[in-house]
Amino acid sequence: MSYRILRTARALPALLLGFAWIAAPAWASLGGDVGSVGADNVQFKGQLVSTPMLQYDRHDITTDSGTVHEYLSHAGKVFAVTWQGPRPPDLRQLFGSYFEPFQSATAAQSRPGMHRQVSVAQPDFVVHAVALLRTFQGKAYVPSLVPAGVAVADLK
Amino acid sequence: MLRCLRWTTLLAVAVLTACGGGGSTLSSGGGSTSSSSSSSGGNNFSAGGPNVVSMTVGPGPTAGSSTFNSPYVSVTVCIAGTSTCKIITDVLVDTGSVGLRLFASVISGLALPNQVDTTGNGNVIAECLPFADGYTWGPVASADVTVGGEKASAVPVNVIDDTSSFVAVPSSCTSGNGTSLNSVDNFGANGVLGVGILQQDCGPYCAQAAVQQTNTQGATYYTCGNNTCAIYQELIGSQVTNPVALFPTDNNGVILQLPAIPATGASTATGYLVFGIDTESNNALGSATVLTIDPSSGTIITLFNGQTLMGVLDSGSNGLFFADSAIPNCTGSTNAEEFFCPTSTLMLSATNQGENGNSVLTPFQIANENSLNGSFFALDDVGGSTATITGLSDQFFDFGVPFFYGRTVFTGIEGTTAGSAAGPYYAY
C-alpha cells in the first residue's frame, strides 16, 4: 500500500474547499430565474452552455460528475431540471425551495430495499430519479410553470 | 403496517406459472438467441459445497416491516487476521451493487478497524453513498469476510452509522442527496452483500484528485478528523470492494438460484447463492446464454414494447420495474403508486441482449399487486413503474427478484473470465 503516500498532498486542499462551500449562499434553481442558473453553474463549478429554443431556453451545465439541464421558460422561470451522471448533483442547490418538500415526501415513503428509484408526484412538484451502480439520473419539474404546449416527457 | 394498508384484499390470481426449459439457436448475427423463462442449466446445488450458501427470501430483521422479495444470507465478519468474529444474519444479497455494507448497530461489540488516510493523523475514511431518495453515511473498515466456505481477507467494507457514533455527516453529503437512510428498517436488512458485476463500488470517479470531484456536488469518499470531513481521493484498491472478487478461489462471479414459486406467491422461498462460475464441478455455466455488459453503464440492452432500454438484473429490487403507461398503478396507500395493479394478470416479454449480440427472450408476468397475499414474503409477478424519465436517452428496465424465481442467474465480475466468457456479463 505504498501508493497511499501519494495521497497526502491531496487531502489538505480538499479540506479547505470543503469549508469554502459551507459558507456559500443557496440559490434556488427549480422555480428560480435565469440568475439562479448562473448561480448553479458557479456552485457546480461547471461549464454552462445555453441554447435558445422555440418555447424555452435550455441551459446545460457540465461537471465532472455529470450533466444538468435547466429549462427556463420565456416567462423567466426554471420549470424543469434533469440530471445524468456518475453521481447525482447537489439536489438542495438544484431544487432550491423544493428540496425540503422532496425530503419530506421521500421520508414519508416506506420502501425497504436498495432505493434504486423514487417518485414524488405532488400537484405542483414532480420528481423521478433512478440510482444504479455508478449511474444516476432524474427529472424534476413544476407543472404550473411548464409553458403551454411543452411536453415534459420530451425534456431530456 | 404499510403492507396491511397496501394489500387490503386477498384474492387468488389464476395465471400460468412461467415454466419450460430453454432452447438455443444461433442467429444470423453469430450471437446466440435463446427463448427461456427457466434455464436452470442443470445446476443442482442441493449437495452443498464450500461455494454454496443457502439464500432465503423471507421476513428479514424487522418484524412487521413491509419487506418482500428480499433474498438474505448470513455473513461472518471478523477483525482481520483474528478469530474475533460476529455472524450477521439477514444480509441482503444484491447483484445491483458492490461491496459489503453493515449497520453499526448489528456489529456492535466487534471493533473493526477503520481505514485511515495517508496523513498519519489517524483521519478515518468514510463513505457517503447516494441512492435515489437519500444517502448512507459511515466509515470504511477492514474485515475478514466469510460467506459459506469462502473467506476474503482484509476486505474494505462500509459500516453504516445508524448509531450516530461516527463523525457527523458533512453538508455536501446531506445536501446532495436528500434524506438519511442510515437504518436497518430503511433497507429491511442488517446489511447488504453487493455481489454485482464490478470489483469496486465507485471506481475511477472516486480515484480522481479531490478537487476534480466537484465539491458542491458531494463525493463518495471523505477523510474525517474529529469533527470535520473533506472529500478524499480514494484509490481504487482501497475502495469498498466486492468480497467475491477477493476470495482466493471461486472469485469470478456468483450464481443466484431461486425456486419457481406459484403465481400467488409463497410465504418464503429458499435457494442458493453460489460463488464462482466454471471453477468447480458444481458451478458450470453450461448452456446459459452469456450477455456481456457495457462496463461504462453496467447495463445490458433490454428491448421492450418497441423501446430500447438499459437493463439490469438486480436482486436488490423487489419487483420488475419498467415504464409502461398502459398498466395502471395501484392506489390506496403511501407508495402504492409504485406498483402495478392491472385488472388481470398480464403476460409480457422483453428481449435481453448483450454487447456480444447474444439475446434471450424473457417472458414475465405482472399481477395486480393489491390482490397478492400481504403476509407472503416471496411474490412472483410483482412489478411497478420505474421512475419514468421519459425523454432522457437512457431509460431502465430493472429486473428485480421476480425475475430470479425459477431461474439460475450468473453474474460475471469485470476483469475475470469463466471459460470463454469475459466479465462483466450476465448469463441465464
Side-chain angles (χ1 to χ4, degrees), chain A residues 4 43-44 64 87 110 115-116 134 137 153 156, chain B residues 2 94 118 186 200 212 216 220 314 335 390-391:
Chain A
R4 286 187 175 200
Q43 283 294 299
F44 293 165
D64 289 335
R87 278 199 56 91
S110 167
H115 300 259
R116 298 233 145 88
R134 301 187 191 176
Q137 64 178 38
K156 295 184 187 300
Chain B
L2 283 168
D94 182 20
T118 54
N186 266 325
Q200 292 86 21
Q212 284 181 290
T216 57
T220 300
D314 176 12
N335 42 339
T390 317

mmCIF file with all atom_site columns, all heavy atoms in Angstrom, chain A residues 4 43-44 64 87 110 115-116 134 137 153 156, chain B residues 2 94 118 186 200 212 216 220 314 335 390-391:
data_model
loop_
_atom_site.group_PDB
_atom_site.id
_atom_site.type_symbol
_atom_site.label_atom_id
_atom_site.label_alt_id
_atom_site.label_comp_id
_atom_site.label_asym_id
_atom_site.label_entity_id
_atom_site.label_seq_id
_atom_site.pdbx_PDB_ins_code
_atom_site.Cartn_x
_atom_site.Cartn_y
_atom_site.Cartn_z
_atom_site.occupancy
_atom_site.B_iso_or_equiv
_atom_site.pdbx_formal_charge
_atom_site.auth_seq_id
_atom_site.auth_comp_id
_atom_site.auth_asym_id
_atom_site.auth_atom_id
_atom_site.pdbx_PDB_model_num
ATOM 1   N N   . ARG A 1 4   ? -0.248  4.920  -1.042  1.00 0.00 ? 4   ARG A N   1
ATOM 2   C CA  . ARG A 1 4   ? -1.060  5.807  -0.202  1.00 0.00 ? 4   ARG A CA  1
ATOM 3   C C   . ARG A 1 4   ? -0.357  7.112  0.118   1.00 0.00 ? 4   ARG A C   1
ATOM 4   O O   . ARG A 1 4   ? -0.989  8.127  0.336   1.00 0.00 ? 4   ARG A O   1
ATOM 5   C CB  . ARG A 1 4   ? -1.402  5.108  1.109   1.00 0.00 ? 4   ARG A CB  1
ATOM 6   C CG  . ARG A 1 4   ? -2.442  4.051  0.914   1.00 0.00 ? 4   ARG A CG  1
ATOM 7   C CD  . ARG A 1 4   ? -2.852  3.534  2.239   1.00 0.00 ? 4   ARG A CD  1
ATOM 8   N NE  . ARG A 1 4   ? -3.953  2.601  2.056   1.00 0.00 ? 4   ARG A NE  1
ATOM 9   C CZ  . ARG A 1 4   ? -4.773  2.279  3.026   1.00 0.00 ? 4   ARG A CZ  1
ATOM 10  N NH1 . ARG A 1 4   ? -4.630  2.786  4.215   1.00 0.00 ? 4   ARG A NH1 1
ATOM 11  N NH2 . ARG A 1 4   ? -5.747  1.436  2.812   1.00 0.00 ? 4   ARG A NH2 1
ATOM 12  N N   . GLN A 1 43  ? -21.801 27.233 -8.432  1.00 0.00 ? 43  GLN A N   1
ATOM 13  C CA  . GLN A 1 43  ? -21.749 26.269 -7.341  1.00 0.00 ? 43  GLN A CA  1
ATOM 14  C C   . GLN A 1 43  ? -21.260 24.905 -7.813  1.00 0.00 ? 43  GLN A C   1
ATOM 15  O O   . GLN A 1 43  ? -20.520 24.228 -7.133  1.00 0.00 ? 43  GLN A O   1
ATOM 16  C CB  . GLN A 1 43  ? -23.136 26.106 -6.708  1.00 0.00 ? 43  GLN A CB  1
ATOM 17  C CG  . GLN A 1 43  ? -23.534 27.250 -5.792  1.00 0.00 ? 43  GLN A CG  1
ATOM 18  C CD  . GLN A 1 43  ? -22.661 27.321 -4.554  1.00 0.00 ? 43  GLN A CD  1
ATOM 19  O OE1 . GLN A 1 43  ? -22.621 26.391 -3.776  1.00 0.00 ? 43  GLN A OE1 1
ATOM 20  N NE2 . GLN A 1 43  ? -21.933 28.410 -4.382  1.00 0.00 ? 43  GLN A NE2 1
ATOM 21  N N   . PHE A 1 44  ? -21.706 24.509 -8.992  1.00 0.00 ? 44  PHE A N   1
ATOM 22  C CA  . PHE A 1 44  ? -21.337 23.184 -9.507  1.00 0.00 ? 44  PHE A CA  1
ATOM 23  C C   . PHE A 1 44  ? -19.961 23.191 -10.167 1.00 0.00 ? 44  PHE A C   1
ATOM 24  O O   . PHE A 1 44  ? -19.471 22.153 -10.593 1.00 0.00 ? 44  PHE A O   1
ATOM 25  C CB  . PHE A 1 44  ? -22.380 22.710 -10.540 1.00 0.00 ? 44  PHE A CB  1
ATOM 26  C CG  . PHE A 1 44  ? -23.744 22.434 -9.964  1.00 0.00 ? 44  PHE A CG  1
ATOM 27  C CD1 . PHE A 1 44  ? -24.837 22.301 -10.799 1.00 0.00 ? 44  PHE A CD1 1
ATOM 28  C CD2 . PHE A 1 44  ? -23.924 22.279 -8.609  1.00 0.00 ? 44  PHE A CD2 1
ATOM 29  C CE1 . PHE A 1 44  ? -26.102 22.033 -10.285 1.00 0.00 ? 44  PHE A CE1 1
ATOM 30  C CE2 . PHE A 1 44  ? -25.189 22.012 -8.080  1.00 0.00 ? 44  PHE A CE2 1
ATOM 31  C CZ  . PHE A 1 44  ? -26.275 21.891 -8.917  1.00 0.00 ? 44  PHE A CZ  1
ATOM 32  N N   . ASP A 1 64  ? -17.735 17.442 -13.653 1.00 0.00 ? 64  ASP A N   1
ATOM 33  C CA  . ASP A 1 64  ? -17.062 16.141 -13.593 1.00 0.00 ? 64  ASP A CA  1
ATOM 34  C C   . ASP A 1 64  ? -18.019 15.037 -13.179 1.00 0.00 ? 64  ASP A C   1
ATOM 35  O O   . ASP A 1 64  ? -17.782 13.872 -13.443 1.00 0.00 ? 64  ASP A O   1
ATOM 36  C CB  . ASP A 1 64  ? -15.909 16.200 -12.580 1.00 0.00 ? 64  ASP A CB  1
ATOM 37  C CG  . ASP A 1 64  ? -14.755 17.045 -13.107 1.00 0.00 ? 64  ASP A CG  1
ATOM 38  O OD1 . ASP A 1 64  ? -14.622 17.160 -14.338 1.00 0.00 ? 64  ASP A OD1 1
ATOM 39  O OD2 . ASP A 1 64  ? -14.009 17.588 -12.281 1.00 0.00 ? 64  ASP A OD2 1
ATOM 40  N N   . ARG A 1 87  ? -22.533 10.561 -10.523 1.00 0.00 ? 87  ARG A N   1
ATOM 41  C CA  . ARG A 1 87  ? -23.035 10.923 -9.197  1.00 0.00 ? 87  ARG A CA  1
ATOM 42  C C   . ARG A 1 87  ? -24.224 11.842 -9.379  1.00 0.00 ? 87  ARG A C   1
ATOM 43  O O   . ARG A 1 87  ? -24.308 12.560 -10.375 1.00 0.00 ? 87  ARG A O   1
ATOM 44  C CB  . ARG A 1 87  ? -21.971 11.649 -8.375  1.00 0.00 ? 87  ARG A CB  1
ATOM 45  C CG  . ARG A 1 87  ? -20.977 10.745 -7.685  1.00 0.00 ? 87  ARG A CG  1
ATOM 46  C CD  . ARG A 1 87  ? -20.283 11.500 -6.566  1.00 0.00 ? 87  ARG A CD  1
ATOM 47  N NE  . ARG A 1 87  ? -21.239 12.054 -5.617  1.00 0.00 ? 87  ARG A NE  1
ATOM 48  C CZ  . ARG A 1 87  ? -21.668 11.430 -4.522  1.00 0.00 ? 87  ARG A CZ  1
ATOM 49  N NH1 . ARG A 1 87  ? -21.218 10.235 -4.227  1.00 0.00 ? 87  ARG A NH1 1
ATOM 50  N NH2 . ARG A 1 87  ? -22.531 11.995 -3.716  1.00 0.00 ? 87  ARG A NH2 1
ATOM 51  N N   . SER A 1 110 ? -42.298 4.415  2.807   1.00 0.00 ? 110 SER A N   1
ATOM 52  C CA  . SER A 1 110 ? -41.646 3.247  3.403   1.00 0.00 ? 110 SER A CA  1
ATOM 53  C C   . SER A 1 110 ? -41.296 2.283  2.281   1.00 0.00 ? 110 SER A C   1
ATOM 54  O O   . SER A 1 110 ? -42.169 1.817  1.567   1.00 0.00 ? 110 SER A O   1
ATOM 55  C CB  . SER A 1 110 ? -42.585 2.572  4.393   1.00 0.00 ? 110 SER A CB  1
ATOM 56  O OG  . SER A 1 110 ? -42.077 1.299  4.727   1.00 0.00 ? 110 SER A OG  1
ATOM 57  N N   . HIS A 1 115 ? -33.443 1.196  -2.710  1.00 0.00 ? 115 HIS A N   1
ATOM 58  C CA  . HIS A 1 115 ? -33.713 2.615  -3.005  1.00 0.00 ? 115 HIS A CA  1
ATOM 59  C C   . HIS A 1 115 ? -33.155 3.021  -4.362  1.00 0.00 ? 115 HIS A C   1
ATOM 60  O O   . HIS A 1 115 ? -32.479 4.022  -4.491  1.00 0.00 ? 115 HIS A O   1
ATOM 61  C CB  . HIS A 1 115 ? -33.146 3.512  -1.900  1.00 0.00 ? 115 HIS A CB  1
ATOM 62  C CG  . HIS A 1 115 ? -33.737 3.209  -0.551  1.00 0.00 ? 115 HIS A CG  1
ATOM 63  N ND1 . HIS A 1 115 ? -34.720 3.977  0.006   1.00 0.00 ? 115 HIS A ND1 1
ATOM 64  C CD2 . HIS A 1 115 ? -33.514 2.196  0.313   1.00 0.00 ? 115 HIS A CD2 1
ATOM 65  C CE1 . HIS A 1 115 ? -35.061 3.456  1.177   1.00 0.00 ? 115 HIS A CE1 1
ATOM 66  N NE2 . HIS A 1 115 ? -34.340 2.376  1.377   1.00 0.00 ? 115 HIS A NE2 1
ATOM 67  N N   . ARG A 1 116 ? -33.447 2.198  -5.364  1.00 0.00 ? 116 ARG A N   1
ATOM 68  C CA  . ARG A 1 116 ? -32.890 2.470  -6.694  1.00 0.00 ? 116 ARG A CA  1
ATOM 69  C C   . ARG A 1 116 ? -33.733 3.483  -7.463  1.00 0.00 ? 116 ARG A C   1
ATOM 70  O O   . ARG A 1 116 ? -33.297 3.971  -8.485  1.00 0.00 ? 116 ARG A O   1
ATOM 71  C CB  . ARG A 1 116 ? -32.805 1.164  -7.493  1.00 0.00 ? 116 ARG A CB  1
ATOM 72  C CG  . ARG A 1 116 ? -31.882 0.156  -6.828  1.00 0.00 ? 116 ARG A CG  1
ATOM 73  C CD  . ARG A 1 116 ? -30.811 -0.382 -7.740  1.00 0.00 ? 116 ARG A CD  1
ATOM 74  N NE  . ARG A 1 116 ? -29.597 -0.618 -6.988  1.00 0.00 ? 116 ARG A NE  1
ATOM 75  C CZ  . ARG A 1 116 ? -29.310 -1.747 -6.358  1.00 0.00 ? 116 ARG A CZ  1
ATOM 76  N NH1 . ARG A 1 116 ? -30.132 -2.775 -6.418  1.00 0.00 ? 116 ARG A NH1 1
ATOM 77  N NH2 . ARG A 1 116 ? -28.194 -1.866 -5.675  1.00 0.00 ? 116 ARG A NH2 1
ATOM 78  N N   . ARG A 1 134 ? -23.149 3.274  -10.221 1.00 0.00 ? 134 ARG A N   1
ATOM 79  C CA  . ARG A 1 134 ? -22.357 4.288  -10.924 1.00 0.00 ? 134 ARG A CA  1
ATOM 80  C C   . ARG A 1 134 ? -23.162 5.068  -11.972 1.00 0.00 ? 134 ARG A C   1
ATOM 81  O O   . ARG A 1 134 ? -22.577 5.704  -12.835 1.00 0.00 ? 134 ARG A O   1
ATOM 82  C CB  . ARG A 1 134 ? -21.121 3.676  -11.596 1.00 0.00 ? 134 ARG A CB  1
ATOM 83  C CG  . ARG A 1 134 ? -20.179 2.976  -10.637 1.00 0.00 ? 134 ARG A CG  1
ATOM 84  C CD  . ARG A 1 134 ? -18.913 2.542  -11.327 1.00 0.00 ? 134 ARG A CD  1
ATOM 85  N NE  . ARG A 1 134 ? -18.129 1.656  -10.488 1.00 0.00 ? 134 ARG A NE  1
ATOM 86  C CZ  . ARG A 1 134 ? -17.017 1.062  -10.877 1.00 0.00 ? 134 ARG A CZ  1
ATOM 87  N NH1 . ARG A 1 134 ? -16.555 1.265  -12.101 1.00 0.00 ? 134 ARG A NH1 1
ATOM 88  N NH2 . ARG A 1 134 ? -16.359 0.266  -10.054 1.00 0.00 ? 134 ARG A NH2 1
ATOM 89  N N   . GLN A 1 137 ? -29.708 9.338  -12.593 1.00 0.00 ? 137 GLN A N   1
ATOM 90  C CA  . GLN A 1 137 ? -30.409 10.265 -13.466 1.00 0.00 ? 137 GLN A CA  1
ATOM 91  C C   . GLN A 1 137 ? -31.742 10.645 -12.851 1.00 0.00 ? 137 GLN A C   1
ATOM 92  O O   . GLN A 1 137 ? -32.280 9.929  -12.000 1.00 0.00 ? 137 GLN A O   1
ATOM 93  C CB  . GLN A 1 137 ? -30.602 9.668  -14.860 1.00 0.00 ? 137 GLN A CB  1
ATOM 94  C CG  . GLN A 1 137 ? -31.488 8.442  -14.885 1.00 0.00 ? 137 GLN A CG  1
ATOM 95  C CD  . GLN A 1 137 ? -31.669 7.929  -16.313 1.00 0.00 ? 137 GLN A CD  1
ATOM 96  O OE1 . GLN A 1 137 ? -30.742 7.954  -17.101 1.00 0.00 ? 137 GLN A OE1 1
ATOM 97  N NE2 . GLN A 1 137 ? -32.855 7.467  -16.628 1.00 0.00 ? 137 GLN A NE2 1
ATOM 98  N N   . ALA A 1 153 ? -42.433 15.243 -21.046 1.00 0.00 ? 153 ALA A N   1
ATOM 99  C CA  . ALA A 1 153 ? -41.849 13.956 -21.414 1.00 0.00 ? 153 ALA A CA  1
ATOM 100 C C   . ALA A 1 153 ? -40.729 14.104 -22.441 1.00 0.00 ? 153 ALA A C   1
ATOM 101 O O   . ALA A 1 153 ? -39.850 13.260 -22.533 1.00 0.00 ? 153 ALA A O   1
ATOM 102 C CB  . ALA A 1 153 ? -42.934 13.033 -21.965 1.00 0.00 ? 153 ALA A CB  1
ATOM 103 N N   . LYS A 1 156 ? -35.066 16.292 -22.207 1.00 0.00 ? 156 LYS A N   1
ATOM 104 C CA  . LYS A 1 156 ? -34.002 15.320 -21.954 1.00 0.00 ? 156 LYS A CA  1
ATOM 105 C C   . LYS A 1 156 ? -33.095 15.775 -20.825 1.00 0.00 ? 156 LYS A C   1
ATOM 106 O O   . LYS A 1 156 ? -33.031 16.935 -20.526 1.00 0.00 ? 156 LYS A O   1
ATOM 107 C CB  . LYS A 1 156 ? -33.184 15.116 -23.222 1.00 0.00 ? 156 LYS A CB  1
ATOM 108 C CG  . LYS A 1 156 ? -34.012 14.476 -24.324 1.00 0.00 ? 156 LYS A CG  1
ATOM 109 C CD  . LYS A 1 156 ? -33.177 14.179 -25.542 1.00 0.00 ? 156 LYS A CD  1
ATOM 110 C CE  . LYS A 1 156 ? -34.025 13.689 -26.698 1.00 0.00 ? 156 LYS A CE  1
ATOM 111 N NZ  . LYS A 1 156 ? -34.763 12.488 -26.441 1.00 0.00 ? 156 LYS A NZ  1
ATOM 112 N N   . LEU B 2 2   ? -47.597 -0.806 6.676   1.00 0.00 ? 2   LEU B N   1
ATOM 113 C CA  . LEU B 2 2   ? -47.950 -0.300 5.359   1.00 0.00 ? 2   LEU B CA  1
ATOM 114 C C   . LEU B 2 2   ? -48.416 -1.409 4.449   1.00 0.00 ? 2   LEU B C   1
ATOM 115 O O   . LEU B 2 2   ? -49.251 -1.226 3.600   1.00 0.00 ? 2   LEU B O   1
ATOM 116 C CB  . LEU B 2 2   ? -46.748 0.413  4.739   1.00 0.00 ? 2   LEU B CB  1
ATOM 117 C CG  . LEU B 2 2   ? -46.504 1.799  5.318   1.00 0.00 ? 2   LEU B CG  1
ATOM 118 C CD1 . LEU B 2 2   ? -45.166 2.320  4.896   1.00 0.00 ? 2   LEU B CD1 1
ATOM 119 C CD2 . LEU B 2 2   ? -47.617 2.737  4.888   1.00 0.00 ? 2   LEU B CD2 1
ATOM 120 N N   . ASP B 2 94  ? -27.322 -8.563 -3.117  1.00 0.00 ? 94  ASP B N   1
ATOM 121 C CA  . ASP B 2 94  ? -27.653 -7.538 -4.118  1.00 0.00 ? 94  ASP B CA  1
ATOM 122 C C   . ASP B 2 94  ? -26.716 -7.636 -5.318  1.00 0.00 ? 94  ASP B C   1
ATOM 123 O O   . ASP B 2 94  ? -25.545 -7.267 -5.226  1.00 0.00 ? 94  ASP B O   1
ATOM 124 C CB  . ASP B 2 94  ? -27.548 -6.154 -3.466  1.00 0.00 ? 94  ASP B CB  1
ATOM 125 C CG  . ASP B 2 94  ? -27.919 -5.034 -4.421  1.00 0.00 ? 94  ASP B CG  1
ATOM 126 O OD1 . ASP B 2 94  ? -28.603 -5.318 -5.420  1.00 0.00 ? 94  ASP B OD1 1
ATOM 127 O OD2 . ASP B 2 94  ? -27.527 -3.889 -4.159  1.00 0.00 ? 94  ASP B OD2 1
ATOM 128 N N   . THR B 2 118 ? -3.710  8.955  4.505   1.00 0.00 ? 118 THR B N   1
ATOM 129 C CA  . THR B 2 118 ? -2.254  8.834  4.451   1.00 0.00 ? 118 THR B CA  1
ATOM 130 C C   . THR B 2 118 ? -1.527  9.927  5.223   1.00 0.00 ? 118 THR B C   1
ATOM 131 O O   . THR B 2 118 ? -0.309  10.020 5.159   1.00 0.00 ? 118 THR B O   1
ATOM 132 C CB  . THR B 2 118 ? -1.803  8.921  2.977   1.00 0.00 ? 118 THR B CB  1
ATOM 133 O OG1 . THR B 2 118 ? -2.344  10.112 2.415   1.00 0.00 ? 118 THR B OG1 1
ATOM 134 C CG2 . THR B 2 118 ? -2.296  7.718  2.194   1.00 0.00 ? 118 THR B CG2 1
ATOM 135 N N   . ASN B 2 186 ? -34.781 1.010  6.909   1.00 0.00 ? 186 ASN B N   1
ATOM 136 C CA  . ASN B 2 186 ? -34.798 1.600  5.571   1.00 0.00 ? 186 ASN B CA  1
ATOM 137 C C   . ASN B 2 186 ? -34.396 0.605  4.490   1.00 0.00 ? 186 ASN B C   1
ATOM 138 O O   . ASN B 2 186 ? -34.757 0.763  3.327   1.00 0.00 ? 186 ASN B O   1
ATOM 139 C CB  . ASN B 2 186 ? -33.867 2.811  5.509   1.00 0.00 ? 186 ASN B CB  1
ATOM 140 C CG  . ASN B 2 186 ? -34.601 4.106  5.779   1.00 0.00 ? 186 ASN B CG  1
ATOM 141 O OD1 . ASN B 2 186 ? -35.749 4.262  5.404   1.00 0.00 ? 186 ASN B OD1 1
ATOM 142 N ND2 . ASN B 2 186 ? -33.952 5.028  6.465   1.00 0.00 ? 186 ASN B ND2 1
ATOM 143 N N   . GLN B 2 200 ? -15.102 -2.772 -7.599  1.00 0.00 ? 200 GLN B N   1
ATOM 144 C CA  . GLN B 2 200 ? -15.236 -1.779 -6.528  1.00 0.00 ? 200 GLN B CA  1
ATOM 145 C C   . GLN B 2 200 ? -16.532 -1.009 -6.714  1.00 0.00 ? 200 GLN B C   1
ATOM 146 O O   . GLN B 2 200 ? -17.104 -0.992 -7.800  1.00 0.00 ? 200 GLN B O   1
ATOM 147 C CB  . GLN B 2 200 ? -14.060 -0.775 -6.552  1.00 0.00 ? 200 GLN B CB  1
ATOM 148 C CG  . GLN B 2 200 ? -12.727 -1.360 -6.177  1.00 0.00 ? 200 GLN B CG  1
ATOM 149 C CD  . GLN B 2 200 ? -12.020 -1.980 -7.355  1.00 0.00 ? 200 GLN B CD  1
ATOM 150 O OE1 . GLN B 2 200 ? -12.320 -1.667 -8.503  1.00 0.00 ? 200 GLN B OE1 1
ATOM 151 N NE2 . GLN B 2 200 ? -11.094 -2.881 -7.074  1.00 0.00 ? 200 GLN B NE2 1
ATOM 152 N N   . GLN B 2 212 ? -11.096 17.513 -8.279  1.00 0.00 ? 212 GLN B N   1
ATOM 153 C CA  . GLN B 2 212 ? -11.828 17.211 -9.504  1.00 0.00 ? 212 GLN B CA  1
ATOM 154 C C   . GLN B 2 212 ? -13.198 16.613 -9.222  1.00 0.00 ? 212 GLN B C   1
ATOM 155 O O   . GLN B 2 212 ? -14.044 16.556 -10.098 1.00 0.00 ? 212 GLN B O   1
ATOM 156 C CB  . GLN B 2 212 ? -11.018 16.252 -10.374 1.00 0.00 ? 212 GLN B CB  1
ATOM 157 C CG  . GLN B 2 212 ? -9.865  16.947 -11.080 1.00 0.00 ? 212 GLN B CG  1
ATOM 158 C CD  . GLN B 2 212 ? -9.096  15.993 -11.944 1.00 0.00 ? 212 GLN B CD  1
ATOM 159 O OE1 . GLN B 2 212 ? -8.402  15.116 -11.450 1.00 0.00 ? 212 GLN B OE1 1
ATOM 160 N NE2 . GLN B 2 212 ? -9.238  16.148 -13.246 1.00 0.00 ? 212 GLN B NE2 1
ATOM 161 N N   . THR B 2 216 ? -19.154 20.834 -4.560  1.00 0.00 ? 216 THR B N   1
ATOM 162 C CA  . THR B 2 216 ? -20.539 21.091 -4.193  1.00 0.00 ? 216 THR B CA  1
ATOM 163 C C   . THR B 2 216 ? -21.468 19.978 -4.674  1.00 0.00 ? 216 THR B C   1
ATOM 164 O O   . THR B 2 216 ? -22.625 19.921 -4.282  1.00 0.00 ? 216 THR B O   1
ATOM 165 C CB  . THR B 2 216 ? -21.052 22.419 -4.780  1.00 0.00 ? 216 THR B CB  1
ATOM 166 O OG1 . THR B 2 216 ? -20.897 22.361 -6.199  1.00 0.00 ? 216 THR B OG1 1
ATOM 167 C CG2 . THR B 2 216 ? -20.291 23.575 -4.223  1.00 0.00 ? 216 THR B CG2 1
ATOM 168 N N   . THR B 2 220 ? -18.214 10.620 -2.888  1.00 0.00 ? 220 THR B N   1
ATOM 169 C CA  . THR B 2 220 ? -18.492 9.351  -2.242  1.00 0.00 ? 220 THR B CA  1
ATOM 170 C C   . THR B 2 220 ? -17.566 9.136  -1.048  1.00 0.00 ? 220 THR B C   1
ATOM 171 O O   . THR B 2 220 ? -18.007 8.785  0.043   1.00 0.00 ? 220 THR B O   1
ATOM 172 C CB  . THR B 2 220 ? -18.344 8.209  -3.254  1.00 0.00 ? 220 THR B CB  1
ATOM 173 O OG1 . THR B 2 220 ? -19.262 8.425  -4.323  1.00 0.00 ? 220 THR B OG1 1
ATOM 174 C CG2 . THR B 2 220 ? -18.646 6.863  -2.603  1.00 0.00 ? 220 THR B CG2 1
ATOM 175 N N   . ASP B 2 314 ? -31.241 -7.432 -11.012 1.00 0.00 ? 314 ASP B N   1
ATOM 176 C CA  . ASP B 2 314 ? -30.997 -6.730 -9.757  1.00 0.00 ? 314 ASP B CA  1
ATOM 177 C C   . ASP B 2 314 ? -31.726 -7.407 -8.605  1.00 0.00 ? 314 ASP B C   1
ATOM 178 O O   . ASP B 2 314 ? -32.905 -7.139 -8.363  1.00 0.00 ? 314 ASP B O   1
ATOM 179 C CB  . ASP B 2 314 ? -31.477 -5.285 -9.957  1.00 0.00 ? 314 ASP B CB  1
ATOM 180 C CG  . ASP B 2 314 ? -31.373 -4.451 -8.705  1.00 0.00 ? 314 ASP B CG  1
ATOM 181 O OD1 . ASP B 2 314 ? -30.730 -4.895 -7.748  1.00 0.00 ? 314 ASP B OD1 1
ATOM 182 O OD2 . ASP B 2 314 ? -31.944 -3.353 -8.701  1.00 0.00 ? 314 ASP B OD2 1
ATOM 183 N N   . ASN B 2 335 ? -47.108 4.576  -0.789  1.00 0.00 ? 335 ASN B N   1
ATOM 184 C CA  . ASN B 2 335 ? -46.350 4.444  -2.020  1.00 0.00 ? 335 ASN B CA  1
ATOM 185 C C   . ASN B 2 335 ? -46.881 3.330  -2.906  1.00 0.00 ? 335 ASN B C   1
ATOM 186 O O   . ASN B 2 335 ? -46.146 2.686  -3.645  1.00 0.00 ? 335 ASN B O   1
ATOM 187 C CB  . ASN B 2 335 ? -44.851 4.298  -1.774  1.00 0.00 ? 335 ASN B CB  1
ATOM 188 C CG  . ASN B 2 335 ? -44.527 3.383  -0.635  1.00 0.00 ? 335 ASN B CG  1
ATOM 189 O OD1 . ASN B 2 335 ? -45.359 3.140  0.223   1.00 0.00 ? 335 ASN B OD1 1
ATOM 190 N ND2 . ASN B 2 335 ? -43.333 2.868  -0.616  1.00 0.00 ? 335 ASN B ND2 1
ATOM 191 N N   . THR B 2 390 ? -39.200 9.906  -19.069 1.00 0.00 ? 390 THR B N   1
ATOM 192 C CA  . THR B 2 390 ? -39.417 9.880  -20.499 1.00 0.00 ? 390 THR B CA  1
ATOM 193 C C   . THR B 2 390 ? -38.660 11.023 -21.143 1.00 0.00 ? 390 THR B C   1
ATOM 194 O O   . THR B 2 390 ? -38.706 12.140 -20.664 1.00 0.00 ? 390 THR B O   1
ATOM 195 C CB  . THR B 2 390 ? -40.911 10.030 -20.805 1.00 0.00 ? 390 THR B CB  1
ATOM 196 O OG1 . THR B 2 390 ? -41.620 9.206  -19.896 1.00 0.00 ? 390 THR B OG1 1
ATOM 197 C CG2 . THR B 2 390 ? -41.212 9.612  -22.217 1.00 0.00 ? 390 THR B CG2 1
ATOM 198 N N   . GLY B 2 391 ? -37.979 10.721 -22.199 1.00 0.00 ? 391 GLY B N   1
ATOM 199 C CA  . GLY B 2 391 ? -37.244 11.774 -22.872 1.00 0.00 ? 391 GLY B CA  1
ATOM 200 C C   . GLY B 2 391 ? -35.762 11.720 -22.599 1.00 0.00 ? 391 GLY B C   1
ATOM 201 O O   . GLY B 2 391 ? -34.964 12.125 -23.420 1.00 0.00 ? 391 GLY B O   1
#
